[in-house]
Amino acid sequence: MRRLGSWALFLLAYAAAIGYTWGHLDAWRAVGADALLAFFLLYMLISVFPIPFKNMTVTLTPVVSLATFLLYGVAVELWLTQMAILVSMLLLRFRPLERILLNLAMYAVVSITAAGAFFACGGVIGSGQSLSRLAFPMALYIGTYLLSNHLLLALLMRFWRGTWPTRNTLREFVGEMGLNALASPVGLLIYALYESLGPFTPVLFSVPLTALSFVLRMYYQLKTLHQRLEQVNRLAKMFTSQLRWEKVIDEIFRTARHLFAADCYVLFVLDAEKQVLRPLRVEGDGLSQEECQAFCARTVRLGEGVSGAAALERRALLVQRAGAAHHVEHEPASLRAMRSIVAGPMIQNGKLVGVFTLGRRITYGFTSHDKVLLEIFANQAALALENARRYEHTLAQTYVDP
């Protein structure tokens, strides 16, 4: 159903793009092959280094789109962006195909809405325009570009995952607006210099813009990794101080929700005598209490599903396109809908304690970084559970002994 919906949205967006740009196709004749190649390479180089900003991924594409649009109009900007985004997503190995189609459709609609806002406030394209006259239309163009992008993302999340974005989305939008506002003068500079330097202008800016994208990408990746490792470190400190069984489990799930973006979280503990996994708690969006209770009443054999396989092999496992074989037979329908699964064995002093499993409703929902971090997190959780288990056992013995 989602695949058909993705194709339908893609075709509708492309029909609108063709209809909107049909009357502007003469603009292509004004663009030389060397200029097209130069702007295409600039687009692609920037797109290949997306910047992981807070809980989303951004690029400096609006900066190049602004310069291309001001010089040649919406037809050239829209289709040049489409070609560059497609090539860069293929180079980055984006999966699945529906994700690529939805991204292309989204960028097509964004280009149309931004151009419409620009012309609605009296903006004029073409070289030689006064920059002061372009100031307000340009600001509206960038604002509409980013706002429509976020609104479409929210609608696509609702369609694709069945959930609306979190409250942090507004904060992320403001942050992206600030990032692009700082970079927007570069787009104007490309536009202003193009009249004297010609097609060499985008080539001239390709190195600094690509370097900026790369540096910002590395900075935010390292910053995010540092923040997540700090959370794991705080979790380890809490685990050594908190000994109540229920409190420890609550903290495990609370921290997991901060560390990982997932649709379900499952904690299994090992029944050492029967050598099976027992679901201790399940949390997630769309999971009813009855489903969770029924699932927790069953056991999972070692080697069964991704969780059982992770326990048997004692290593973290990541499945990006989960099928029936990756799910436990008696899982509720809502859990079987998880298309991406990552499971981390909880090991303490060489002994298997349990497994912590995450699931998402979309394919390719987790990264290799998530897999490594889950392995660290699961081992810290194993230490906490073992300490809590010993404490509860000692406490019970204290009450029993005279």
Side-chain angles (χ1 to χ4, degrees):
M1 183 65 183
R2 287 175 180 170
R3 180 171 295 182
L4 289 175
S6 301
W7 276 102
L9 289 172
F10 172 76
L11 293 174
L12 283 172
Y14 261 56
I18 292 171
Y20 190 81
T21 60
W22 188 260
H24 304 274
L25 294 181
D26 288 343
W28 282 95
R29 299 193 185 98
V31 189
D34 51 353
L36 282 176
L37 180 61
F39 274 106
F40 174 76
L41 289 176
L42 181 56
Y43 265 116
M44 196 177 69
L45 286 171
I46 290 176
S47 301
V48 165
F49 296 108
I51 305 164
F53 181 73
K54 297 186 182 293
N55 294 320
M56 58 185 178
T57 301
V58 302
T59 67
L60 296 178
T61 303
V63 174
V64 187
S65 293
L66 175 63
T68 310
F69 172 73
L70 291 176
L71 286 167
Y72 299 113
V74 62
V76 176
E77 183 274 324
L78 189 152
W79 295 112
L80 206 56
T81 303
Q82 291 290 299
M83 289 187 288
I85 294 296
L86 175 60
V87 173
S88 61
M89 292 184 84
L90 292 175
L91 289 175
L92 292 171
R93 298 182 180 180
F94 269 55
R95 298 290 187 278
L97 174 62
E98 292 80 17
R99 187 180 176 188
I100 298 177
L101 294 177
L102 289 175
N103 271 275
L104 291 174
M106 184 180 69
Y107 271 101
V109 176
V110 165
S111 293
I112 293 171
T113 53
F118 179 87
F119 291 126
C121 65
V124 179
I125 62 171
S127 59
Q129 301 295 328
S130 169
L131 294 183
S132 59
R133 184 182 176 186
L134 289 173
F136 179 70
M138 179 209 71
L140 193 60
Y141 178 91
I142 292 290
T144 306
Y145 194 105
L146 297 176
L147 180 60
S148 58
N149 184 28
H150 276 262
L151 289 175
L152 287 170
L153 276 175
L155 292 174
L156 289 177
M157 282 183 65
R158 179 63 180 172
F159 163 74
W160 192 254
R161 297 179 56 188
T163 58
W164 290 106
T166 62
R167 290 180 296 176
N168 292 328
T169 303
L170 179 59
R171 194 180 309 164
E172 294 163 1
F173 170 68
V174 173
E176 188 181 1
M177 282 286 289
L179 179 64
N180 280 279
L182 291 174
S184 293
V186 179
L188 276 179
L189 191 58
I190 295 174
Y191 167 75
L193 291 177
Y194 191 85
E195 189 171 358
S196 56
L197 297 179
F200 181 69
T201 309
V203 177
L204 181 67
F205 280 87
S206 62
V207 175
L209 281 178
T210 304
L212 178 62
S213 296
F214 178 76
V215 169
L216 287 174
R217 175 181 173 85
M218 293 299 296
Y219 169 75
Y220 281 111
Q221 279 184 336
L222 291 173
K223 183 180 179 181
T224 302
L225 181 60
H226 176 69
Q227 290 173 342
R228 296 175 82 180
L229 289 174
E230 275 191 333
Q231 285 184 309
V232 173
N233 185 46
R234 284 197 297 269
L235 181 68
K237 291 179 181 178
M238 186 283 305
F239 283 165
T240 57
S241 60
Q242 180 59 258
L243 296 174
R244 287 291 184 180
W245 180 259
E246 287 298 325
K247 293 288 186 181
V248 167
I249 294 174
D250 289 341
E251 190 63 29
I252 288 174
F253 275 87
R254 188 188 70 80
T255 307
R257 286 183 174 273
H258 277 89
L259 286 174
F260 307 100
D263 296 309
C264 80
Y265 306 79
V266 187
L267 173 62
F268 298 91
V269 292
L270 177 69
D271 185 329
E273 182 179 345
K274 297 183 179 180
Q275 286 295 294
V276 294
L277 295 173
R278 294 189 180 277
L280 191 63
R281 184 186 291 184
V282 186
E283 291 185 5
D285 300 327
L287 299 177
S288 68
Q289 187 175 0
E290 292 75 16
E291 282 183 316
C292 294
Q293 289 175 348
F295 178 58
C296 290
R298 307 289 295 270
T299 59
V300 176
R301 298 184 298 273
L302 299 188
E304 183 182 9
V306 179
S307 302
L312 186 64
E313 299 178 25
R314 298 202 173 193
R315 62 185 181 93
L317 296 178
L318 171 61
V319 177
Q320 299 284 33
R321 296 179 68 90
H326 300 108
H327 289 275
V328 179
E329 183 180 355
H330 58 268
E331 278 184 350
S334 52
L335 284 179
R336 293 180 67 87
M338 301 300 159
R339 303 292 306 281
S340 305
I341 305 172
V342 59
M346 301 163 63
I347 300 173
Q348 174 62 22
N349 293 329
K351 184 178 73 172
L352 181 69
V353 176
V355 175
F356 200 87
T357 303
L358 310 171
R360 295 192 71 178
R361 295 187 180 91
I362 59 173
T363 55
Y364 297 90
F366 298 107
T367 66
S368 57
H369 291 159
D370 292 323
K371 177 183 172 183
V372 173
L373 192 63
L374 178 62
E375 202 158 18
I376 298 171
F377 169 79
N379 288 331
Q380 295 290 349
L383 172 63
L385 287 177
E386 282 298 286
N387 288 341
R389 196 197 306 272
R390 292 193 192 101
Y391 175 77
E392 295 284 343
H393 178 73
T394 303
L395 201 62
Q397 290 294 110
T398 303
Y399 284 117
V400 171
D401 291 341

